[in-house]
Amino acid sequence: MIRRRSLFGAIALATTLAATSALPGRWGLDYFPNTSLLDQEGQELRFVDDLLDGRIAVVNFFYLDCPDICGLATARMAKVYEWLGERVGEDIVIISISLTPERDTPEELAAYAEAFGAGEGWYFLTGEPEEVEELRYKLGERSTRLSDHRSDMLIGNVATGEWRRTSLMGNLAAATADILALDPDWEPPRTPAKVLDGATLDSFAEKSRVGEGLFSKGCAACHSIGAGVRVGPDLEGVTLRRDHDWLMRYIRTPDRMLAEGDPIAVKLDQEYPTVRMPRFGLGEKDAADLISYLHAETLRLEELPREGSASDQAHNMDGKDTHGNDAAGHAH
Ligand code: HEC
């Protein structure tokens, strides 16, 4: 028996195994079924004729009720989407296919897409269960249980027939470069560290400070600390507004607290109805490290002069226990 890995274990493994595994190789257009699918606007689209349509394609799988990895994968895909910029919708298409098409309706997919800022050129798709099943099998998503589904991207250039996989959980700038490199005319930028405007090779890479690496890898795609609401709430001050035990439990088992009717978890779920905080299978040490990082960041931010947003709840914390965390130690 294989023990169920924690999500971060799964991420580490996916990163080492799938950085860009050579498979699948060459696929001509006749390889793919021309499955009829429905996108988040309820439009009927054919997989080959309308979606691939001669373009560079990025394909992944998810489902709306997913308690763990899908939300994080989609949030990370949103970063790739942003970096690919205007080419998405032109010669690049992003195709996210539901693994529970019997449940996921276009209306729900539309709300989900919106929560992640998906627009032009990024399709969230559902369809007839048997047909979607055939398509996913062809695309190499052959897991027999939902919880085991792949979290990487299948990327390919329809014109050259070259297809491969790249990880969504490793270095995202490198993954973005893998996609662009499918275009034979793409020239990688001269400076190796700089792959694209706004995306450097160490964006999202592990950071050394306790908790920071975990945060940037597993949380930052959905949460900012002090830069406003993203997919989930801004976590600045969260260590002041919630107590430590509650945070420990919530970070480790948000789904269970919601199911138990914990009043704060229920309220948060109502405020953020479309995307759910994932369950990561984190151990106590990791959760505690994340909390100390959130707290250190909160204290650091409270010290900085900010316009118009004096947070009243935090003044009793000002001026003490600052650990000398200075702005220079922080990379965001
Ligand atoms: C896929 C997006 C996503 C990811 C990734 C994510 N969260 Fe969340 N988080 C949410 C959402 C959405 C909520 C609001 C509750 C809900 O709807 O489930 C939330 C709520 C929270 C809260 C409660 C905030 C409050 O005001 O009380 C904490 C704490 C939190 N997340 C911490 C984390 C940490 C730590 C990580 C990384 C290990 C993380 N989250 C990763 C989406 C995410």
Side-chain angles (χ1 to χ4, degrees):
M1 277 296 291
I2 300 171
R3 270 195 17 247
R4 208 180 134 63
R5 277 178 270 114
S6 81
L7 184 53
F8 284 106
I11 291 171
L13 194 73
T15 312
T16 40
L17 288 184
T20 32
S21 73
L23 284 167
R26 297 213 155 260
W27 280 341
L29 264 196
D30 55 351
Y31 175 80
F32 302 101
N34 197 15
T35 314
S36 165
L37 298 160
L38 281 181
D39 76 0
Q40 68 268 38
E41 276 157 22
Q43 285 187 89
E44 190 175 332
L45 297 169
R46 295 248 163 203
F47 185 72
V48 175
D49 296 345
D50 303 318
L51 289 164
L52 295 186
D53 191 26
R55 296 183 272 199
I56 290 177
V58 178
V59 185
N60 80 330
F61 293 90
F62 76 104
Y63 62 107
L64 291 180
D65 213 23
C66 174
D68 42 44
I69 207 163
C70 307
L72 176 60
T74 308
R76 293 175 67 88
M77 183 73 102
K79 203 74 213 169
V80 173
Y81 174 68
E82 186 190 310
W83 286 340
L84 289 172
E86 290 182 352
R87 287 188 70 171
V88 185
E90 302 282 325
D91 65 331
I92 300 180
V93 60
I94 303 186
I95 302 173
S96 294
I97 304 176
S98 165
L99 289 169
T100 54
E102 69 285 6
R103 270 184 292 185
D104 297 348
T105 64
E107 297 73 48
E108 290 168 316
L109 293 175
Y112 191 75
E114 198 192 330
F116 289 99
E120 188 72 21
W122 185 358
Y123 299 90
F124 289 79
L125 298 147
T126 183
E128 278 303 318
E130 299 87 75
E131 292 173 32
V132 174
E133 181 75 8
E134 182 201 0
L135 178 63
R136 82 169 173 99
Y137 195 82
K138 279 266 172 169
L139 298 177
E141 167 45 57
R142 298 182 179 178
S143 52
T144 49
R145 285 188 311 173
L146 275 176
S147 55
D148 294 338
H149 80 87
R150 306 189 72 108
S151 60
D152 55 0
M153 300 180 267
L154 175 66
I155 60 176
N157 181 340
V158 173
T160 62
E162 186 192 346
W163 288 83
R164 60 210 298 203
R165 295 191 186 283
T166 187
S167 172
L168 258 175
M169 297 299 166
N171 184 305
L172 284 184
T176 308
D178 284 341
I179 297 168
L180 292 169
L182 289 165
D183 173 358
D185 295 332
W186 185 65
E187 287 182 22
R190 297 266 167 77
T191 13
K194 182 125 181 131
V195 172
L196 297 159
D197 285 344
T200 56
L201 275 176
D202 55 17
S203 321
F204 283 87
E206 303 246 10
K207 305 281 184 347
S208 55
R209 221 185 326 159
V210 170
E212 186 174 0
L214 283 178
F215 186 83
S216 73
K217 200 153 218 187
C219 324
C222 288
H223 292 287
S224 83
I225 309 175
V229 170
R230 287 198 181 140
V231 178
D234 187 335
L235 296 182
E236 180 184 355
V238 77
T239 53
L240 308 176
R241 65 177 180 263
R242 312 281 181 231
D243 76 53
H244 188 268
D245 292 346
W246 186 90
L247 277 176
M248 280 295 282
R249 283 198 68 207
Y250 190 77
I251 290 174
R252 298 184 65 202
T253 54
D255 52 336
R256 190 183 308 156
M257 288 178 76
L258 184 61
E260 285 170 5
D262 173 272
I264 300 174
V266 170
K267 187 152 177 285
L268 283 167
D269 181 58
Q270 287 161 354
E271 283 168 22
Y272 296 84
T274 350
V275 181
R276 217 174 281 155
M277 163 78 182
R279 178 194 66 217
F280 291 95
L282 288 173
E284 279 192 23
K285 165 100 178 39
D286 287 342
D289 285 351
L290 281 163
I291 293 170
S292 27
Y293 174 65
L294 290 172
H295 192 56
E297 281 302 285
T298 294
L299 295 180
R300 191 181 66 78
L301 289 168
E302 298 297 334
E303 275 194 345
L304 295 174
R306 282 178 303 144
E307 301 138 341
S309 67
S311 12
D312 4 292
Q313 87 270 45
H315 283 317
N316 57 341
M317 305 295 287
D318 277 4
K320 62 168 189 176
D321 193 25
T322 53
H323 302 298
N325 277 320
D326 60 1
H330 183 61
H332 290 241

